[in-house]
Amino acid sequence: MSLRPAVITGLGSYVPDRVLSNKDLEEIVDTTDEWIVSHTGIKERRIASDEQATSDLALEAGRRALEDAGIGPDDLDMIICPTITPDHVFPATANILQDRIGASNAAGFDLLSGCTGFVYGLYVARQFIATGEMQNILVVAAEKLTSITDWTDRSTCVLFGDGAGAAVVSAGDDGVEGLAAFVLESYGEYGHLLDVPAGGSRHPVDEEVLRSRDNCLHMNGPELFKLAVRGIPEVAEKTIRKAGLTNSDIDWVVMHQANLRIIEAAARRLDIPDDRVVVNLDRYGNTSAASMAIALDEIYRDGRLQSGDTLLLVGFGAGFSLGGAIVKWQ
Ligand code: ACO
């Protein structure tokens, strides 16, 4: 069966106005700007207001991506919303967004794959386009991570921020490469290293949960660090080979923005020069599923990304999940 090409035709992102600096965090927990910068590379992050939920961030990013693609909401066949911080357990944030953005012809669902969610979302979108079922799909990765942050835990609360990034994936002309190759991997045996222990059917919220803050994000940072430093280069290599490329063919690497030391270690293993590796975690921290989408939009809007460039997206996250994508930029 010959598959239709799928291309990214529009990008958009949104981060809230409020900046929370490392200095601000020194007032909240026992930490220092020096520790946070030296261990993570993060200098500040954006914090959504009390009134803003994940769908509000997604709405702004989604509108910008539609405008960039030059299509209207009624042109959308599907909305996919990768997120670990949905507005509610249900209905899906994608359905809320479908109504608010006015996409009257679109179906929608959320996609739960932690920080790898944007890569998963692009892959799913590509499949619907490739079979000829759909023409335009909006992938909006959005997170209000501060809604599940334990502000008494210095080992996690310094890491995360809020934001959203969106891509319109559309059917491309024959012969165009666009979303060229994907590799997705899942390691459920490591799921316990990063989770929200309570609030689901296994352990509904009760007074003890609220007391122990098990409704917030828990993380074993050092173990995840080791998995990421090993896993990111491995999945990156597999994705590059699957596309029939070599590492030197890659113009831009957009990795999940979790920790500068992870990004630098992975880039060294891949032998890709620093100036080809996109970093914005110093300004936004770790925005989970949104991080690669925001970084991609930034290099597109500031003109670094040029037509003909080959992009490698590579992420890791809760699950434990890994994912890579090769995108030929049009
Ligand atoms: N300020 C000051 N000291 C701190 C802080 C803090 N914010 N946090 C931890 N420390 C202390 C610890 O208590 C420990 O002290 P001790 O030696 O006296 O016990 C010391 O610093 C070292 O702690 P480690 O946890 O070993 O520090 P590490 O160098 O591993 O850095 C970090 C921690 C930044 C979390 C790192 O492990 C990491 O980035 N891991 C990967 C996490 C990640 O990528 N998560 C995202 C995955 S998916 C997603 O994005 C949702």
Side-chain angles (χ1 to χ4, degrees):
M1 186 171 68
S2 79
L3 298 175
R4 260 195 327 175
V7 294
I8 293 177
T9 53
L11 288 171
S13 63
Y14 170 80
V15 291
D17 294 336
R18 187 178 157 209
V19 175
L20 187 73
S21 69
N22 291 349
K23 281 277 171 215
D24 296 330
L25 278 164
E26 289 178 2
E27 307 294 319
I28 299 173
V29 283
D30 180 15
T31 192
T32 60
D33 174 55
E34 191 280 329
W35 191 96
I36 301 171
V37 172
S38 61
H39 283 73
T40 71
I42 300 166
K43 295 177 180 154
E44 59 187 41
R45 67 288 292 142
R46 300 300 182 95
I47 305 290
S49 69
D50 290 345
E51 291 72 38
Q52 283 177 309
T54 293
S55 65
D56 298 301
L57 314 184
L59 183 63
E60 296 296 334
R63 280 184 178 146
R64 290 172 191 184
L66 286 182
E67 189 186 343
D68 186 45
I71 63 170
D74 280 342
D75 296 318
L76 289 174
D77 302 303
M78 176 82 88
I79 295 176
I80 302 171
C81 192
T83 184
I84 59 169
T85 49
D87 285 20
H88 310 281
V89 172
F90 69 86
T93 300
N95 294 135
I96 296 167
L97 189 59
Q98 176 265 326
D99 174 45
R100 294 186 60 198
I101 211 164
S104 50
N105 302 313
F109 59 89
D110 290 0
L111 194 157
L112 185 62
S113 192
C115 312
T116 322
F118 185 59
V119 174
Y120 271 72
L122 291 178
Y123 198 1
V124 174
R126 186 189 80 160
Q127 301 310 93
F128 280 112
I129 302 282
T131 57
E133 282 284 317
M134 294 187 180
Q135 190 72 23
N136 297 302
I137 298 178
L138 181 65
V139 180
V140 192
E143 303 282 13
K144 186 179 180 182
L145 287 170
T146 54
S147 67
I148 56 166
T149 298
D150 178 355
W151 293 104
T152 67
D153 176 9
R154 70 176 181 173
S155 70
T156 56
C157 75
V158 302
L159 303 175
F160 300 106
D162 302 327
V168 176
V169 180
S170 305
D173 295 333
D174 284 345
V176 165
E177 287 182 280
L179 299 179
F182 287 87
V183 171
L184 301 182
E185 295 182 355
S186 204
Y187 300 92
E189 65 271 33
Y190 300 121
H192 61 285
L193 295 178
L194 176 58
D195 64 358
V196 175
S201 60
R202 176 70 62 194
H203 198 157
V205 173
D206 56 20
E207 282 180 16
E208 172 54 22
V209 165
L210 295 176
R211 196 194 57 72
S212 61
R213 298 194 173 83
D214 275 353
N215 56 325
C216 293
L217 181 149
H218 288 231
M219 184 177 82
N220 182 333
E223 287 304 315
L224 277 173
F225 191 96
K226 285 186 238 162
L227 285 178
V229 166
R230 193 173 67 233
I232 290 240
E234 283 176 6
V235 81
E237 296 270 7
K238 285 182 202 169
T239 314
I240 293 167
R241 303 293 163 259
K242 193 171 174 185
L245 303 173
T246 63
N247 298 17
S248 59
D249 293 320
I250 304 302
D251 297 301
W252 295 106
V253 183
V254 178
M255 281 187 232
H256 170 46
Q257 306 284 305
N259 187 313
L260 186 60
R261 290 187 294 148
I262 296 175
I263 292 174
E264 288 176 344
R268 267 196 309 276
R269 289 261 306 268
L270 292 166
D271 199 20
I272 291 178
D274 286 350
D275 62 357
R276 301 270 105 186
V277 178
V278 180
V279 174
N280 68 2
L281 58 69
D282 50 325
R283 286 171 288 129
Y284 304 132
N286 178 348
T287 57
S288 189
S291 89
M292 284 182 276
I294 295 171
L296 178 58
D297 186 45
E298 279 198 354
I299 60 167
Y300 166 63
R301 286 184 189 263
D302 69 18
R304 272 180 282 174
L305 187 57
Q306 295 289 314
S307 185
D309 282 354
T310 300
L311 271 158
L312 168 69
L313 304 180
V314 57
F316 70 97
F320 181 72
S321 62
L322 284 163
I326 293 289
V327 183
K328 298 283 186 112
W329 195 252
Q330 310 301 318

